[in-house]
Amino acid sequence: MSLRGLAADPTAAVEITADALTVNQGSRSAVFAGNVVIGQGELRIAAGRVEVIYSDETGDIARLDASGGVTFATETEAAEATGAVYDLTSGILTLNGDVLLTQGASALSADRMVVNLNDGTAQMDGRVRTVFGQTGE
């Protein structure tokens, strides 16, 4: 099972839609709640709630903390988890809690998955289970 489809461009523009937004200038953060959808290039993240933390140095988005059931998708892969942290500075996406990654007929599950979106590598731990779908001809 190749994980190359997990690669994304952490420098691409980020678009966020949600039912509600609360901004906290003091903590340099914002909370998007209700049907949150995040788009960045080919990457899509959906969640019930996402806290956005901005960089003190640049004012750009530094990190996204998603909770309330998270779905992550690229053109060829999809993953589900209880929560996720996406560090845009490093390009690292960490999915936590009942992680399920699917690619075609194959699936991987674990307690935690750490994905480097710069190069498409991933590490899963915590009772990892793999099901490889066969493409018989």
Side-chain angles (χ1 to χ4, degrees):
M1 181 176 199
S2 169
L3 298 176
R4 289 301 307 164
L6 291 174
D9 181 3
T11 63
V14 176
E15 178 182 340
I16 304 173
T17 58
D19 293 337
L21 168 64
T22 304
V23 177
N24 184 334
Q25 292 292 343
S27 67
R28 299 191 55 78
S29 66
V31 174
F32 292 85
N35 300 308
V36 182
V37 177
I38 300 168
Q40 184 183 40
E42 297 298 318
L43 172 67
R44 296 288 174 266
I45 301 171
R49 179 183 185 279
V50 175
E51 181 177 10
V52 177
I53 293 87
Y54 297 93
S55 167
D56 289 333
E57 294 81 33
T58 65
D60 292 337
I61 296 173
R63 192 176 80 228
L64 302 170
D65 292 343
S67 59
V70 178
T71 302
F72 157 83
T74 65
E75 192 173 303
T76 56
E77 275 87 19
E80 299 173 5
T82 303
V85 175
Y86 179 19
D87 184 330
L88 278 79
T89 306
S90 65
I92 302 295
L93 173 67
T94 304
L95 300 167
N96 293 298
D98 298 322
V99 177
L100 175 64
L101 171 67
T102 57
Q103 180 186 54
S106 298
L108 291 163
S109 65
D111 294 333
R112 180 173 176 260
M113 179 170 75
V114 179
V115 181
N116 182 328
L117 294 171
N118 295 312
D119 62 15
T121 60
Q123 177 180 342
M124 299 180 85
D125 53 54
R127 201 63 196 147
V128 178
R129 180 171 182 244
T130 305
V131 177
F132 293 104
Q134 301 298 321
T135 57
E137 294 186 23

